[in-house]
């Protein structure tokens, strides 16, 4: 009985030590936009992280710079935990980022009105409720446009511009060949 208790205490102690290790902490070394940041791993590798389940306005969109500034103020230069979900088509790590005190950067962006819940990738009721309660930041805009619609509009506009431009007729210049006179003996 005493051996089992001792073994149990050792296991609990080891588990507690593994939970409190600082090796799982990353340093925020860059903020690309409101929902994308660069973290420095404990092995000194840079990791580009796209925040999961949230979508901030694009930089060129209303409140895009404000969202980037909010994210930067919240976590730039700080140590954070990264909870990886997967990777996206651009090779970025997609996940949740938490400050050392347990504050979720993803949730703070939605709560403070700098991001939408990205419903195409999130079914979280908590994020949906936070979005409903948020009436700051991007919600001050008369007609806030979700980033996914903004990007779609930009793509359609670019495609429309390409179709409107008349195709230029290619002209070819005749290349003159150099004639080398050779004498045959």
């Amino acid at each position: 009985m005493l051996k089992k208790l001792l073994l149990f205490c050792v296991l609990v102690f080891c588990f507690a030590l593994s939970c409190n290790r600082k090796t799982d902490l990353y340093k925020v070394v860059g903020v690309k936009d409101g929902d994308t940041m660069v973290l420095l791993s404990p092995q000194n590798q840079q990791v580009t992280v796209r925040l999961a389940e949230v979508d901030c306005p694009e930089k060129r969109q209303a409140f895009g710079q404000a969202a980037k500034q909010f994210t930067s103020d919240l976590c730039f230069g700080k140590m954070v935990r990264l909870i990886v979900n997967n990777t996206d088509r651009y090779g970025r790590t997609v996940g949740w980022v938490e400050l050392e005190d347990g504050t979720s950067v993803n949730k703070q962006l939605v709560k403070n009105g700098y991001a939408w819940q990205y419903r195409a990738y999130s079914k979280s009721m908590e994020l949906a409720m936070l979005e409903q309660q948020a009436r700051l930041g991007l919600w001050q805009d008369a007609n806030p446009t979700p980033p996914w619609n903004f990007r779609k509009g930009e793509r359609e506009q670019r495609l429309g511009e390409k179709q409107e431009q008349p195709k230029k007729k290619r002209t070819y210049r005749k290349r003159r060949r150099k004639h080398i006179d050779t004498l045959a003996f």
Side-chain angles (χ1 to χ4, degrees), residues 45-59:
Q45 300 286 326
Q46 285 192 357
V47 180
T48 300
V49 176
R50 168 71 167 80
L51 297 179
E53 300 186 33
V54 300
D55 202 5
C56 290
E58 298 298 312
K59 284 189 255 187

Side-chain angles (χ1 to χ4, degrees), residues 65-125:
Q65 289 296 331
K68 178 182 178 181
Q69 187 63 51
F70 179 82
T71 302
S72 184
D73 292 344
L74 185 63
C75 60
F76 182 76
K78 295 183 181 174
M79 300 303 285
V80 297
R81 280 184 196 80
L82 173 62
I83 302 149
V84 178
N85 284 13
N86 54 14
T87 56
D88 66 7
R89 62 182 173 192
Y90 303 109
R92 300 177 295 190
T93 299
V94 179
W96 288 78
V97 174
E98 291 180 351
L99 300 176
E100 283 186 284
D101 66 2
T103 302
S104 168
V105 175
N106 306 48
K107 290 177 186 176
Q108 287 300 311
L109 281 163
V110 174
K111 181 180 178 180
N112 288 285
Y114 291 102
W116 276 265
Q117 174 190 20
Y118 205 166
R119 289 189 181 90
Y121 299 100
S122 172
K123 304 300 178 217
S124 168
M125 290 303 295

